[in-house]
Amino acid sequence: EVQLQASGGGLVQVGGSLRLSCLASGFTFDDYEIGWFRQAPGKEREEVSCISGDGHRYYGKSALGRATISIDNAQNTVFLQVNNLKPDDTAVYSCATAKAVPGYIGVRCEEDAYDYWGQGTQVTVSS
């Protein structure tokens, strides 16, 4: 059974950093894509970053230049490091996964492409 558990959120000051974790089970990363998405109160959910099993990465415009997505195969975990946090980063961050499309070059990062979702972890950025 595909399962995802996001963790690592919390309260951080503006300019600080957080490292979110997405613990995966029930599948192998090389056959899947993993995405981080966020949703702030009153706003639509948006993509943050996605990674494919073969290392393709995508960063949403809000995360570009401030975030790094990575995979630790030994821990079966996908990480999202976000630096220089801003108040607008306050949101529930969720990880999701989708079965990779054979022969696809790149990584999808549209929420509709993702089939399995974790519960999410709250990130709050304050001054």
Side-chain angles (χ1 to χ4, degrees):
E1 180 183 1
V2 173
Q3 290 187 312
L4 301 167
Q5 183 176 357
S7 62
L11 178 64
V12 63
Q13 293 186 5
V14 170
S17 300
L18 281 175
R19 187 174 178 86
L20 308 181
S21 300
C22 178
L23 177 63
S25 63
F27 64 97
T28 55
F29 286 138
D30 59 339
D31 293 329
Y32 283 80
E33 299 165 301
I34 302 291
W36 281 99
F37 301 84
R38 72 183 190 186
Q39 187 167 25
K43 297 182 179 179
E44 298 292 325
R45 185 161 57 192
E46 64 176 339
E47 67 274 10
V48 180
S49 183
C50 299
I51 187 168
S52 66
D54 58 354
H56 291 98
R57 292 170 170 84
Y58 170 87
Y59 295 98
K61 60 181 180 181
S62 65
L64 190 64
R66 300 189 298 124
T68 302
I69 188 169
S70 61
I71 295 175
D72 187 326
N73 288 299
Q75 297 186 46
N76 207 36
T77 300
V78 175
F79 297 101
L80 179 70
Q81 174 78 29
V82 185
N83 302 320
N84 192 25
L85 286 160
K86 307 172 182 179
D88 285 347
D89 293 323
T90 297
V92 174
Y93 286 70
S94 301
C95 59
T97 189
K99 187 72 170 62
V101 177
Y104 185 81
I105 301 174
V107 60
R108 298 172 297 168
C109 207
E110 302 80 30
E111 64 176 274
D112 289 345
Y114 286 77
D115 301 314
Y116 304 96
W117 293 78
Q119 289 292 99
T121 184
Q122 176 71 49
V123 173
T124 303
V125 184
S126 64
S127 60

